[in-house]
Amino acid sequence: MYPPPPPPPPPAPHPDFISVTLSLSESYDNSKSRRRRSCWRKWKQLSRLQRNVILFLLAFLILCGFLTYIHMADQWKALSSRPEEEQKMRPEIPGLKPANPPALPAPQKAGASPEDIPQRSPQKLRKHFRRGPPRLQIRAPNTVTKDGTQDDPKEPEVAPSDAQEENNPQHAVISWRGAVIEPEQNTELPSRRAEASAKPYLQASRLQKEPLPPNNRQKGVIEAFLHAWKGYRKFAWGHDELKPVSRSFSEWFGLGLTLIDALDTMWILGLKQEFEEARKWVSQKLSFKKNVDVNLFESTIRILGGLLSAYHLSGDSLFLRKAEDFGNRLMPAFATPSKIPYSDVNIGTGVAHPPQWTSDSTVAEVTSIQLEFRELTRLTGTKKFQVAVEEVTRHIHALSGKKDGLVPMFINTHSGLFTHPGVFTLGARADSYYEYLLKQWIQGGKKETQLLEDYLKAIEGIKTHLLRHSQPRKLTFVGELAHGRFSAKMDHLVCFLPGTLALGVHHGLPADHMELAQALMETCYQMNRQMETGLSPEIAHFNLYPRADRQDVEVKPADRHNLLRPETVESLFYLYRVTRDRKYQDWGWSILQSFNKYTRVPSGGYTSINNVQDSHRPEPRDKMESFFLGETLKYLYLLFSDDPDLLSLDAYVFNTEAHPLPIWAPT
């Protein structure tokens, strides 16, 4: 046998020391290159699955960070539009100041706290022309006399409260409402560089001078405004419209429509305390981040136009920031195949759509937003506003389906073509198309001859196809044409036309336009005078055949309501400014007295009525439209003014909601 193998030697004991080798040639300094090589070796040691998981998580984190950035950017943008009093330490944003100081410092309440008063840095004279309004010539009265201008002391005013805004929620309801001109190139889009190098331009009518104190009739308008405002302030503060009889309110957009519509009226009437209180609401309460549909046309002329006008008159950049925010929220309406905008847009979600019953928009809606969007571009330098609306104007200009300059009432947003052809009117759904042809031409410095050509052609079309004379007094009126058949129907809305014709004559258009304007003005006044209440019905029909038992103006039961509309007094203002004939002031005073007698509500406010033919039972409708403060009373105040430079027709053009915007200075 073999001997067993010897046992294995015991394991060597572990050393209880560490051997460190020092090298004189290099040293370990925790350098980035060594760390990179170490990290790379560790990365290579990971399995493919582990590396894929890490890469996926890294990509996920990057995506989350990007989305967070977008969300925060929206919040930063919202912060940038806070009122001035919340941003006192921020530098003034270039382009958001008027080109010249406003005629008055911003109205302030007596004893107002400093934090409620907008802060403005002193404006220095500069050699270049900046975006903004021209130097204004209007002045607000220093004081408002007590006789006839203050509210009834027996009814102390109740301060508006935030809680009042949260009560009585209402559902939104949607409703309608021979000169030689040298040809020049179309108006170019404004740019910061172009405007910076433009020469200053001031017309003689814009020179500063002391304001005339309000006369007795103007004081009557101030008193009427204060009475209407008292009702709104008590019962509808911050809401769209006052219901004066039930002492409540109604909502349309939920954006304080009456308040915004009345801002420039308060400034013009010199109501400092009321203006400052309304400004504070705009600063602290007005937010457009709402999930609500608004009508593009109505919200543009009332809200956007009201904010732009308030900015021009007061010089307060709060209103311009709000206007730019709102304008951006309206832009999705133009995202249609034809670029003809949808009628409605949600200002919170950015979703635009046509009405539920059709894919059409009305021609007046899509062609009566140009003044406001063009001015927003001029003030902000953002071209998209003007580009969008002028594309609509060019499209309508080139479109077939017109009749000697007259346009149908509807247009399809998908095809971009007129629908319901053969029906022509100057009433609802088409009226302000004609008005804005002239006013855009004036606004742009009379350069866009295409607009002037369309306007002049349309006036000739009106004379040819729509003009008739009634019996027995041979009143001149504008009817309607449906597939070749004439209807002796005239909306009260058509009473804008005398004023528009007179405005054109003031700016050098044919003198025979004034003859037509005066004849139509007489008709519109008779539409009021021949009613028992002295107030016009919504729609009138005219007698074309002589009969001893019939008057010129006839009213159907469904058309005899009055909504406190401004068109008659609007045209009276223009006719008086151009002719200086005081009979137009007398006619306006008569209408104001009728408003006071048949529509005034004792607790505050004025109401539309159902029956203008019954002076004993006019039947209040319990609604005060925002345009009563924004248009009707403003035009009455200007009509009664003896100062032709108070919002001179050579310096300003009024939008279709009576908000004055400056005529662009030529470069």
Side-chain angles (χ1 to χ4, degrees), residues 41-277:
R41 282 196 298 269
K42 292 180 179 179
W43 173 257
K44 296 294 287 183
Q45 290 172 0
L46 297 175
S47 67
R48 180 175 296 178
L49 176 62
Q50 291 173 322
R51 282 181 283 182
N52 288 340
V53 170
I54 294 175
L55 290 174
F56 173 78
L57 291 175
L58 183 61
F60 178 75
L61 291 175
I62 292 174
L63 178 61
C64 291
F66 179 71
L67 295 176
T68 302
Y69 170 78
I70 295 177
H71 176 71
M72 295 300 296
D74 290 339
Q75 295 184 354
W76 295 335
K77 183 178 180 179
L79 289 173
S80 67
S81 62
R82 285 183 178 178
E84 274 194 355
E85 60 266 28
E86 299 175 5
Q87 305 180 61
K88 293 180 180 179
M89 303 306 296
R90 289 187 59 179
E92 186 72 27
I93 302 173
L96 295 186
K97 292 177 68 176
N100 297 291
L104 286 176
Q108 303 171 9
K109 289 194 299 183
S113 60
E115 60 267 21
D116 292 339
I117 300 174
Q119 300 296 319
R120 296 181 186 85
S121 58
Q123 299 186 31
K124 300 179 181 180
L125 294 176
R126 299 189 181 183
K127 295 183 180 180
H128 66 274
F129 178 77
R130 293 180 293 163
R131 286 186 298 277
R135 190 177 298 275
L136 306 183
Q137 73 280 349
I138 75 165
R139 288 287 199 280
N142 294 329
T143 58
V144 180
T145 57
K146 293 182 180 180
D147 51 337
T149 62
Q150 297 295 331
D151 293 333
D152 187 354
K154 296 180 180 180
E155 294 188 70
E157 293 186 351
V158 178
S161 63
D162 296 341
Q164 188 178 8
E165 297 184 12
E166 300 174 0
N167 296 332
N168 303 324
Q170 303 287 331
H171 294 287
V173 177
I174 303 302
S175 64
W176 175 255
R177 155 156 139 125
V180 178
I181 308 296
E182 295 184 3
E184 297 183 33
Q185 298 297 323
N186 289 340
T187 301
E188 297 180 355
L189 290 174
S191 65
R192 286 177 168 82
R193 182 177 301 177
E195 291 189 2
S197 61
K199 295 179 180 179
Y201 172 71
L202 288 176
Q203 298 180 3
S205 63
R206 301 187 190 189
L207 298 179
Q208 300 289 328
K209 67 178 185 179
E210 289 300 318
L212 297 175
N215 56 42
N216 289 333
R217 287 181 173 180
Q218 286 181 300
K219 291 177 182 178
V221 177
I222 294 174
E223 191 278 331
F225 183 96
L226 288 173
H227 182 77
W229 189 253
K230 177 175 68 174
Y232 176 77
R233 188 175 181 272
K234 279 184 177 182
F235 311 120
W237 183 253
H239 297 283
D240 284 342
E241 291 165 328
L242 168 68
K243 300 177 69 174
V245 178
S246 59
R247 304 186 182 188
S248 59
F249 58 85
S250 63
E251 294 285 33
W252 188 0
F253 307 144
L255 298 174
L257 207 56
T258 294
L259 187 148
I260 297 175
D261 227 358
L263 282 169
D264 55 1
T265 306
M266 287 184 281
W267 185 279
I268 294 168
L269 270 58
L271 303 177
K272 300 182 179 182
Q273 178 176 337
E274 289 76 10
F275 179 89
E276 183 59 28
E277 186 176 37

Side-chain angles (χ1 to χ4, degrees), residues 9 78 289 552 607 633 646:
K289 291 184 177 181
D552 294 76
T607 179
L633 293 181
L646 178 61

